[in-house]
Amino acid sequence: MTSLINKARVKNKAKNVFSSPWAAFFAWVIAILWTIPTFGLLVSSIRPEQDINTSGWWMFFVQPNVSFENYRQVLFEGSTTNPPLYQFFFNSLAVTLPAVIFPITLAVFAAYSLAWFEFKGRDFIFFSIFALQVIPLQLALVPLLQLFAKGLVLGDVTLIPDFDITGTYIPIWIAHTIFGLPMAIFLLHNFLRQIPRELIEAARVDGAGWFTLFSKIVLPLSVPAIASFAIFQFLWVWNDLLVGLTFGGGAKEVAPMTVRLAEMVGTRGSGWELLTAGAFVSIIVPLVVFFALQRYFVRGLLAGSVKG
């Protein structure tokens, strides 16, 4: 009884501390400081080229010259070597959406079986998957690239043939799916383990099979965890440069928008007005995704952190 009272006191004390006016003040200060660079990016993107090259973005409030020429040029004007940015925008969508759907689909079935099926070696498999999160993806780039380009041959035996998929979206989808699966399975497994066992057993007594149980009970209850991972994976894939550049094979037809933005930087730091406009275009979709799914974000992020 005493321990419960002490826990309640600690909880109330922590609640009072984090709900105090000082806590709100510091939260607003951090939010403002965090937003200033993005706000400066937005302001710079709507300033004329001459103003950007001669003064800082804060001078916009002294000389408020507004022009959307930067967006027109970066979105609809290409060059002899690069198409307009809107094509890369659709390339990023074509890369990101499947690269989010594939790992979620595989992970939800794997997490369901690891969480509720009893079989030998289940814990070993789960901890092995968890351990894969510490492996840097850079270590897998060269082996995967060789696998996609040449297949897998041991001696005179061809285990995996060359499917001739270099320069297509398929290697990028596979790479992002492989790199995202450990985190997805770990997050979903912890969430599914929180489902009351009595609920599962009652459904089994009523005659529900494992697939019916999954589709009618487990999957609807897993929406917060799925949405939380979808945010992580979407932001990671959308903002990725390394995987898209490595497995895209240098083809402009499949290159994501980050590749084009990196090319805009150049070697001499010119073209700031186009770079700021292109960078702000690239963050619009992640912002929409985050704010659309943010109510699930914390619930899914804390999956498995509390038991009882």
Side-chain angles (χ1 to χ4, degrees):
M1 185 67 179
T2 304
S3 61
L4 293 176
I5 295 175
N6 292 333
K7 288 182 180 180
R9 289 176 178 175
V10 172
K11 183 177 179 180
N12 291 332
K13 183 178 180 180
K15 182 178 180 181
N16 293 333
V17 170
F18 287 108
S19 61
S20 64
W22 280 108
F25 171 75
F26 284 113
W28 275 104
V29 170
I30 293 174
I32 292 173
L33 292 177
W34 190 268
T35 309
I36 285 177
T38 305
F39 180 73
L41 185 69
L42 173 62
V43 171
S44 298
S45 68
I46 59 175
R47 300 183 72 203
E49 178 182 358
Q50 182 178 0
D51 291 355
I52 293 178
N53 293 331
T54 57
S55 61
W57 64 267
W58 50 88
M59 295 301 295
F60 173 81
F61 301 100
V62 179
Q63 300 174 344
N65 298 327
V66 177
S67 173
F68 293 97
E69 179 65 18
N70 300 334
Y71 286 94
R72 189 193 67 80
Q73 291 185 25
V74 76
L75 284 173
F76 303 111
E77 288 188 6
S79 63
T80 56
T81 57
N82 288 303
L85 188 66
Y86 78 86
Q87 177 174 322
F88 293 92
F89 182 88
F90 289 112
N91 289 349
S92 290
L93 285 177
V95 167
T96 305
L97 294 180
V100 173
I101 295 173
F102 293 160
I104 288 178
T105 303
L106 297 174
V108 71
F109 285 105
Y112 176 55
S113 61
L114 290 172
W116 292 106
F117 289 7
E118 298 288 345
F119 58 90
K120 188 176 181 180
R122 182 184 66 172
D123 293 337
F124 174 77
I125 294 175
F126 173 71
F127 288 119
S128 299
I129 293 173
F130 175 73
L132 289 175
Q133 298 184 73
V134 304
I135 300 177
L137 66 88
Q138 290 83 355
L139 295 178
L141 292 181
V142 174
L144 280 178
L145 191 60
Q146 291 178 339
L147 179 64
F148 295 148
K150 301 179 181 179
L152 179 59
V153 180
L154 292 179
D156 296 331
V157 180
T158 301
L159 300 179
I160 301 178
D162 178 12
F163 293 107
D164 193 22
I165 56 176
T166 303
T168 66
Y169 292 117
I170 298 177
I172 307 177
W173 293 340
I174 295 176
H176 280 303
T177 300
I178 293 173
F179 298 141
L181 271 176
M183 177 64 178
I185 294 175
F186 174 74
L187 185 66
L188 291 172
H189 171 272
N190 289 348
F191 192 90
L192 295 182
R193 291 292 293 177
Q194 289 186 338
I195 298 176
R197 181 171 293 274
E198 294 79 7
L199 180 62
I200 302 297
E201 292 176 351
R204 294 288 293 167
V205 170
D206 290 339
W210 285 113
F211 185 77
T212 302
L213 186 64
F214 171 79
S215 59
K216 300 297 183 181
I217 297 178
V218 174
L219 187 59
L221 293 176
S222 305
V223 170
I226 293 174
S228 179
F229 173 74
I231 293 175
F232 276 118
Q233 184 71 355
F234 190 96
L235 295 180
W236 153 247
V237 177
W238 184 270
N239 294 319
D240 170 74
L241 171 63
L242 182 60
V243 175
L245 185 62
T246 302
F247 296 102
K252 302 295 183 181
E253 293 78 12
V254 300
M257 190 158 46
T258 50
V259 174
R260 179 67 186 113
L261 292 178
E263 293 175 350
M264 284 184 182
V265 176
T267 58
R268 301 180 181 179
S270 60
W272 283 18
E273 71 284 354
L274 301 181
L275 182 60
T276 55
F280 200 79
V281 169
S282 69
I283 69 174
I284 292 177
V285 174
L287 286 176
V288 172
V289 171
F290 178 79
F291 286 116
L293 302 177
Q294 64 173 335
R295 58 175 178 163
Y296 300 113
F297 184 68
V298 176
R299 292 169 58 189
L301 188 63
L302 298 178
S305 62
V306 179
K307 289 187 178 181

